[in-house]
Amino acid sequence: MTGVGVTDWLMAQLPVYGPWLLGITTFLSCLAIPVPSSLMMITSGAFVASGDLQLASVAGAAYVGAVVGDQAGFWVGRRAQRVLPSPETKRGKLVASALNQLEKKGAIAVFLSRWMFSALGPWVNLAAGASGYAHPRFSLAGALGEAVWVSLYVGLGIVFGANLDAAADLAANALGFLAAGALAVALGWWLWRHR
């Protein structure tokens, strides 16, 4: 099955398995398994808007799956410090970037990697565990970030349920805008401190 085929298949299963499938999808995404978790949350939100699924079960399943996935990734990192990808590989570069962000920004990096820079999320989980980062700080920042991620994407599905393509485009554009804004603020702060 191609990537599009898997996505279509998962979308077709969502009305049948609903929150269970969504929870498994968000769990797997936090372990760097390429599943369309954000699109699944948007689609689930559309089913909530149409009355086919319940908001509490959709949001709860997505949130629990993501938090449990984060914890699993953290503990895998804690146990597997010696088997992290080599820094020369693409995945190794992501892990190195995640370690660098953790070293510099700690809890803020964990929080933002849940929703704004979500491609780094699974690697931050591993890096936090491998680096000996404090588990309570990781858990709190991760749980808060996952709440933002689930709220944004399920909410987009509820609001734009009739047009899933528009919701997915809006999510991508909004997160790109937020990331650019955060970068601009960080650069301005750095310039102000070094003037």
Side-chain angles (χ1 to χ4, degrees):
M1 239 187 249
T2 65
V4 174
V6 170
T7 299
D8 289 343
W9 182 82
L10 283 169
M11 295 302 173
Q13 301 309 308
L14 198 52
V16 178
Y17 299 105
W20 289 103
L21 179 60
L22 181 61
I24 291 167
T25 304
T26 57
F27 172 81
L28 293 174
S29 72
C30 294
L31 296 174
I33 296 172
V35 291
S37 55
S38 295
L39 188 55
M40 293 285 285
M41 283 192 284
I42 291 171
T43 304
S44 295
F47 282 123
V48 168
S50 69
D52 293 323
L53 293 175
Q54 298 298 313
L55 176 60
S57 61
V58 164
Y63 182 74
V64 168
V67 169
V68 172
D70 287 345
Q71 293 298 314
F74 179 89
W75 289 109
V76 166
R78 187 75 79 183
R79 302 269 187 261
Q81 294 172 0
R82 292 180 290 273
V83 295
L84 289 177
S86 167
E88 292 81 35
T89 65
K90 182 179 178 182
R91 288 185 175 191
K93 288 177 184 172
L94 285 171
V95 171
S97 174
L99 281 168
N100 187 35
Q101 290 302 310
L102 273 172
E103 207 171 285
K104 289 180 180 176
K105 298 183 178 69
I108 296 294
V110 173
F111 174 75
L112 293 177
S113 69
R114 305 303 95 177
W115 60 279
M116 187 181 294
F117 305 109
S118 58
L120 281 178
W123 308 109
V124 169
N125 296 343
L126 286 171
S131 69
Y133 191 75
H135 184 249
R137 290 184 67 207
F138 170 83
S139 297
L140 179 60
L144 293 173
E146 295 299 8
V148 172
W149 185 48
V150 170
S151 299
L152 281 173
Y153 283 90
V154 172
L156 280 171
I158 291 170
V159 172
F160 294 98
N163 190 344
L164 292 178
D165 288 335
D169 288 344
L170 178 63
N173 291 336
L175 289 178
F177 178 73
L178 284 171
L183 184 60
V185 167
L187 181 59
W189 182 74
W190 181 82
L191 287 171
W192 181 76
R193 286 199 61 199
H194 290 89
R195 66 177 169 97

